[in-house]
Amino acid sequence: MIDTNGKRSIIRMFHVHRNYGTKKALIDITLDIFKNDFVFLTGASGAGKTTLLKLLYSAEPVSEGQVLIDGMNLSRIPRKRLPLLRRKFGIIFQDYKLIASRTVFENVSLVLEAAGKKRRLIQKRVAGVLRLVGMEDRHTAYPPSLSGGEQQRVAVARAIVGDPKIILADEPTGSLDDDSANSIMKLLHGVHIRGATVIIATHDKALIRKTGGRVLFLKQGRLEGSSIIDKYYDNSMF
Amino acid sequence: MIILCFKRAIEDFRNNRLLNVITLLTISLSILIVSAFILFFINTSDIMSFWKKGLRVMVYVKPHIPPSQMPELGRQIKSLKGVKDVRFISKEAALRQLKSQMKRQASLFENLAKNPLPDAFETQLDVNFQSWEKVEALATQIEALEAVQEVEYGQRWLGRITQIFNLFTLAGYIMCGIFFMAAVFIVANTIRLVIYSRRDEIEIMRLVGAAEHFIKIPFYFQGLMQGAIGAVIGLTILLVAYWFMASNIEQETFSGLFTVRFLSPLMAGLIILLSMLVGWFGSYISLKQYLKT
């Protein structure tokens, strides 16, 4: 599908359901996300935001329906090709998911090592990305010694170092103070400007108002609506 | 990539020291026991071969057989399959030999009115004809000759030892099999525990797009390293024990007739390779089970 600006879909979901036993986490979700979109996925806790993200990077299977990522149908991807699919994503987890026994540098370089990049390139790219997120001075530190904001910046660095097509961020500012949250959002915006599709799951309405973008509303597992919020102006949705 | 995986394996080794030390001890012990068995078999086989080389059958002739029939009897024995050579020993020659061997007990022969020894044939066997079944069959054939009083092959007991040795060999194979399985099981469990302690890390690796081989190879390295180090420790302990024991055994038991030898470099290399295979196999089993989930 192509949107009004002539952009192609990078993510398509057709009548997607996700059940955990008898509990329905997602019900009949159909949506398109276009290349270089900046999308907020919002809703109350338990609405299915994290579940929807997990379906996208194939951490969980769909119970029913189809998901297409950059033309790849997730239900038809053989297990061996899953890593290739996941390299299309840069994921920022709610709980950061940094490896405690590895330094900041090693955590970020893991993505490139896993992709089989050359050592020299890894050194250069990781140093550059750490500079971008303002963590170059702490590259030898271990995650447990970092503040929440610093850990989130490392998580952002890890998400963007592989130059992915899609950034998925699950409550990226959830536990951060305003300054740290602003700095993370600036980084994500920067990645978006450089061409990536950014999808942010958040229940923080203030953050959406402040940032602006396309908003998808989830309520009790159903996609209730979609709208475009202009930065600081359109508050009618809230 | 390989260097990186090797580095990760060493890190894991360091981070899970206790687990790895226990695994190394188990592998070392298994290798020590298996190698000790192999060493025992090699040296026992050497001793048996040494004894078998001197295998001969003594044929004693009935007392009333005249000396004129001896050449014919000798020819009959020599014509039998498996006989390489036959030497006649007259009863006079046998007595002379006995006297020369028992010079210190010469008084025993002083009152000897009659030579009590029989005429005899010393029969040497073909090298290819030294299995116990064949020797026994030949003895029966010789005993069936009319002029023969008795057949004796002094190393009759060697047959029984061979049977015991074969029994030991079988027990050895079974023991080696048991230790092999035990070592695989223990390595598999160690790797499983290491995987469990790193499950979050593995999950993160998968989520950032690491291929399965990227996750698996460090664990394979770890298994191979455990196998190699365990084998070297086990073989070193065996070598030290061998040094302590070998000289005493040689001096006291074999008086230079026979040399107790250690495992050849080729055999030691094969044991190390086998141990590495055990380590790898343990890792493989654990990873297969874990990554399936």
Side-chain angles (χ1 to χ4, degrees):
Chain A
M1 189 175 168
I2 297 171
D3 77 349
T4 48
N5 298 322
K7 288 192 286 187
R8 281 184 173 280
S9 288
I10 194 160
I11 295 170
R12 305 194 81 181
M13 293 180 109
F14 297 100
H15 304 291
V16 170
H17 294 252
R18 174 63 181 147
N19 308 327
Y20 297 105
T22 54
K23 189 180 176 270
K24 293 176 187 300
L26 290 175
I27 305 159
D28 200 24
I29 305 284
T30 296
L31 59 82
D32 274 281
I33 293 174
F34 302 97
K35 277 187 181 167
N36 200 219
D37 255 359
F38 196 95
V39 179
F40 284 103
L41 193 60
T42 190
S45 294
K49 303 185 292 291
T50 303
T51 305
L52 196 144
L53 293 188
K54 282 183 177 173
L55 296 190
L56 295 181
Y57 58 86
S58 217
E60 288 185 9
V62 296
S63 304
E64 208 179 303
Q66 304 278 327
V67 179
L68 271 76
I69 306 289
D70 203 16
M72 293 165 89
N73 189 333
L74 294 196
S75 55
R76 290 191 194 148
I77 289 181
R79 198 182 155 85
K80 275 189 174 178
R81 294 196 64 193
L82 261 186
L84 293 178
L85 169 86
R86 287 181 177 152
R87 284 176 209 162
K88 290 181 188 289
F89 293 101
I91 310 167
I92 302 162
F93 300 95
Q94 197 169 2
D95 54 354
Y96 318 131
K97 287 203 190 301
L98 299 175
I99 300 169
S101 59
R102 297 199 187 178
T103 63
V104 164
F105 188 94
E106 288 168 340
N107 266 284
V108 178
S109 64
L110 179 67
V111 177
L112 299 176
E113 285 169 1
K117 301 289 181 200
K118 292 247 160 59
R119 201 176 170 77
R120 193 172 288 179
L121 177 87
I122 293 174
Q123 296 273 354
K124 202 175 152 188
R125 286 279 288 277
V126 174
V129 168
L130 287 178
R131 201 175 310 119
L132 187 72
V133 300
M135 290 296 291
E136 72 269 38
D137 295 335
R138 308 225 55 193
H139 71 278
T140 55
Y142 287 88
S145 69
L146 303 176
S147 69
E150 287 175 320
Q151 289 194 47
Q152 192 65 299
R153 276 190 276 162
V154 177
V156 171
R158 185 182 61 191
I160 63 177
V161 74
D163 209 9
K165 289 185 173 181
I166 307 161
I167 299 281
L168 301 179
D170 193 2
E171 301 286 1
T173 58
S175 53
L176 304 181
D177 58 64
D178 281 352
D179 287 344
S180 301
N182 283 338
S183 116
I184 295 298
M185 288 313 293
K186 268 187 194 168
L187 285 168
L188 291 176
H189 226 84
V191 178
H192 172 240
I193 287 164
R194 283 197 294 277
T197 305
V198 178
I199 302 168
I200 300 171
T202 181
H203 63 268
D204 186 348
K205 291 167 186 168
L207 178 79
I208 300 172
R209 274 197 297 266
K210 221 160 42 177
T211 315
R214 186 176 165 211
V215 185
L216 301 172
F217 297 91
L218 278 172
K219 192 176 178 186
Q220 291 176 338
R222 288 182 193 277
L223 191 62
E224 290 283 298
S226 162
S227 67
I228 307 290
I229 306 285
D230 282 335
K231 195 177 174 183
Y232 291 114
Y233 300 108
D234 189 350
N235 291 338
S236 60
M237 296 303 295
F238 303 100
Chain B
M1 174 79 172
I2 297 292
I3 295 169
L4 188 78
C5 292
F6 193 70
K7 214 177 110 188
R8 292 258 183 276
I10 302 236
E11 268 173 35
D12 273 347
F13 229 85
R14 275 202 217 125
N15 295 337
N16 300 285
R17 255 174 245 163
L18 184 67
L19 272 177
N20 281 297
V21 166
I22 292 169
T23 310
L24 282 182
L25 285 177
T26 314
I27 295 178
S28 306
L29 198 67
S30 303
I31 290 295
L32 177 65
I33 293 168
V34 170
S35 309
F37 258 102
I38 294 172
L39 193 63
F40 170 78
F41 290 138
I42 287 174
N43 283 293
T44 314
S45 297
D46 283 355
I47 295 170
M48 305 279 276
S49 307
F50 174 74
W51 281 333
K52 279 182 181 175
K53 269 181 200 166
L55 193 61
R56 56 194 183 144
V57 173
M58 290 300 294
V59 181
Y60 299 108
V61 182
K62 283 178 180 168
H64 63 270
I65 302 295
S68 57
Q69 284 190 23
M70 293 305 164
E72 176 54 26
L73 182 59
R75 272 192 294 279
Q76 280 179 343
I77 295 170
K78 198 171 180 181
S79 68
L80 293 171
K81 195 182 173 192
V83 176
K84 186 182 168 193
D85 198 18
V86 174
R87 184 168 73 96
F88 176 67
I89 303 168
S90 68
K91 52 187 171 187
E92 293 77 20
L95 186 63
R96 276 198 302 277
Q97 195 179 340
L98 188 64
K99 279 180 178 172
S100 73
Q101 283 174 351
M102 299 178 71
K103 273 178 191 165
R104 288 185 186 174
Q105 294 87 15
S107 59
L108 289 173
F109 301 99
E110 280 172 9
N111 300 322
L112 207 62
K114 191 184 160 195
N115 183 354
L117 300 176
D119 289 321
F121 287 93
E122 188 187 80
T123 311
Q124 282 196 327
L125 305 183
D126 277 340
V127 182
N128 301 328
F129 202 81
Q130 293 188 349
S131 81
W132 288 102
E133 294 77 17
K134 286 179 181 173
V135 174
E136 266 175 2
L138 179 69
T140 311
Q141 276 182 288
I142 297 171
E143 261 171 346
L145 296 172
E146 209 183 312
V148 174
Q149 171 94 31
E150 193 187 351
V151 175
E152 189 186 282
Y153 38 110
Q155 293 93 332
R156 225 183 247 270
W157 51 272
L158 201 52
R160 279 186 214 115
I161 285 189
T162 305
Q163 283 174 344
I164 293 167
F165 176 72
N166 289 341
L167 207 65
F168 261 109
T169 309
L170 184 68
Y173 282 134
I174 294 169
M175 293 271 283
C176 287
I178 290 169
F179 280 110
F180 179 83
M181 284 193 290
V184 168
F185 177 75
I186 287 160
V187 173
N189 271 315
T190 313
I191 299 285
R192 194 171 296 141
L193 287 172
V194 174
I195 291 171
Y196 188 74
S197 72
R198 285 184 50 195
R199 63 193 182 285
D200 291 341
E201 192 178 332
I202 291 171
E203 188 53 29
I204 293 166
M205 283 187 188
R206 286 172 131 183
L207 292 177
V208 301
E212 297 225 324
H213 70 264
F214 183 82
I215 299 168
K216 282 177 183 173
I217 290 173
F219 289 109
Y220 286 157
F221 264 112
Q222 203 173 331
L224 288 170
M225 276 164 59
Q226 281 173 341
I229 298 171
V232 170
I233 295 173
L235 287 173
T236 308
I237 296 170
L238 187 68
L239 183 65
V240 171
Y242 165 81
W243 275 338
F244 274 109
M245 291 169 72
S247 55
N248 293 333
I249 290 172
E250 279 178 35
Q251 281 166 15
E252 288 171 15
T253 315
F254 301 106
S255 332
L257 290 172
F258 175 79
T259 310
V260 179
R261 65 188 168 114
F262 192 65
L263 303 170
S264 67
L266 178 70
M267 181 58 80
L270 283 175
I271 289 171
I272 292 171
L273 274 180
L274 178 79
S275 183
M276 288 171 78
L277 182 75
V278 167
W280 174 83
F281 193 53
S283 305
Y284 174 80
I285 291 171
S286 292
L287 284 165
K288 199 167 180 182
Q289 284 172 347
Y290 181 82
L291 294 177
K292 214 186 256 178
T293 56

